[in-house]
Amino acid sequence: GINAEYMGVEQLRVHSRCLKVPVFERGYNKDAASIAQEAIQQATKQNYDVVLVDTAGRMQDNEPLMRALTKLININNPDLILFVGEALVGNDAVDQVTKFNQSLRDLSDKPVPRLIDGIVLTKFDTIDDKVGAAISMVYTTGQPIVFVGVGQTYTDLKKLNPGVVVDMLLR
């Protein structure tokens, strides 16, 4: 069968062609921290000022995957760590982001571990009565919702408009 890692890389290749940006990958079952480090070095040589590292669904309850993510963060010291979650799951998203940050804290070897810097919520256009969970995610992490996904196209990734959230709460 086709594994999820393969499908993730194929999906990134499709997006890179559509957006006309390069994708840097080194195959499967490799050390993510080393690949990210190599990608950053390559991007620096080619005068790119942004490198987006897709960690392919690090489940907060999967210790080996979270350990690999923590290593990637410790080695590469990213400027920004974004948690991507689905707004559709409501309060489960609060639990996910809390456990995610806790895993980063528990597995780090740094005196002050790096935690998330912001949140991207997909399927934000479907939440209606679950908007309170989005507010709870911000409250529990102390970090903002940076972007929300409101559809299936690239232009459907939007900055969060707090006024929209307030209107949804008052409905």
Side-chain angles (χ1 to χ4, degrees), residues 78-90:
D79 295 324
L80 190 64
I81 301 169
L82 297 175
F83 174 85
V84 180
E86 285 188 8
L88 190 61
V89 298

Side-chain angles (χ1 to χ4, degrees), residues 50-51 68 79 90 95-96 113 132 134 142 154 160:
V50 174
V51 175
D79 295 324
D95 186 49
Q96 289 171 6
Y154 300 122
L160 179 65

Side-chain angles (χ1 to χ4, degrees), residues 11 14 21-22 48 54 62 67 71 86-87 103 124 126 128 135 140-141 147 152 156 159 162 164:
Q11 188 176 33
V14 168
V21 296
Y48 288 104
D54 179 357
N62 185 322
R67 192 172 294 286
K71 177 182 175 187
E86 285 188 8
S103 289
F124 196 75
T126 65
D128 294 331
I135 293 169
T140 59
T141 63
F147 295 109
Q152 296 294 316
D156 290 330
K159 285 189 173 188
V164 170

Side-chain angles (χ1 to χ4, degrees), residues 8-71:
V9 171
E10 286 304 308
Q11 188 176 33
L12 286 175
R13 286 180 184 146
V14 168
H15 290 302
S16 79
R17 283 192 298 274
C18 291
L19 294 169
K20 296 180 176 54
V21 296
V23 65
F24 186 92
E25 54 95 7
R26 289 290 179 255
Y28 312 105
N29 300 317
K30 305 279 169 90
D31 179 53
S34 298
I35 294 171
Q37 188 174 41
E38 193 179 338
I40 293 164
Q41 290 167 353
Q42 181 76 15
T44 301
K45 285 179 192 169
Q46 295 179 353
N47 293 318
Y48 288 104
D49 57 356
V50 174
V51 175
L52 179 65
V53 178
D54 179 357
T55 58
R58 302 290 153 165
M59 294 304 295
Q60 64 280 354
D61 292 326
N62 185 322
E63 187 177 330
L65 289 179
M66 289 303 299
R67 192 172 294 286
L69 176 61
T70 303
K71 177 182 175 187

Side-chain angles (χ1 to χ4, degrees), residues 55 58 60 66 69-70 73-74 78-85 93-106 108 112-121 134-147:
T55 58
R58 302 290 153 165
Q60 64 280 354
M66 289 303 299
L69 176 61
T70 303
I73 291 167
N74 289 343
D79 295 324
L80 190 64
I81 301 169
L82 297 175
F83 174 85
V84 180
V94 178
D95 186 49
Q96 289 171 6
V97 74
T98 302
K99 286 182 177 178
F100 191 88
N101 254 349
Q102 189 62 50
S103 289
L104 292 179
R105 187 178 292 112
D106 292 347
S108 179
V112 180
R114 283 289 305 276
L115 306 179
I116 68 163
D117 299 304
I119 300 164
V120 176
L121 274 181
I135 293 169
S136 293
M137 290 177 79
V138 170
Y139 178 77
T140 59
T141 63
Q143 300 302 331
I145 295 173
V146 181
F147 295 109

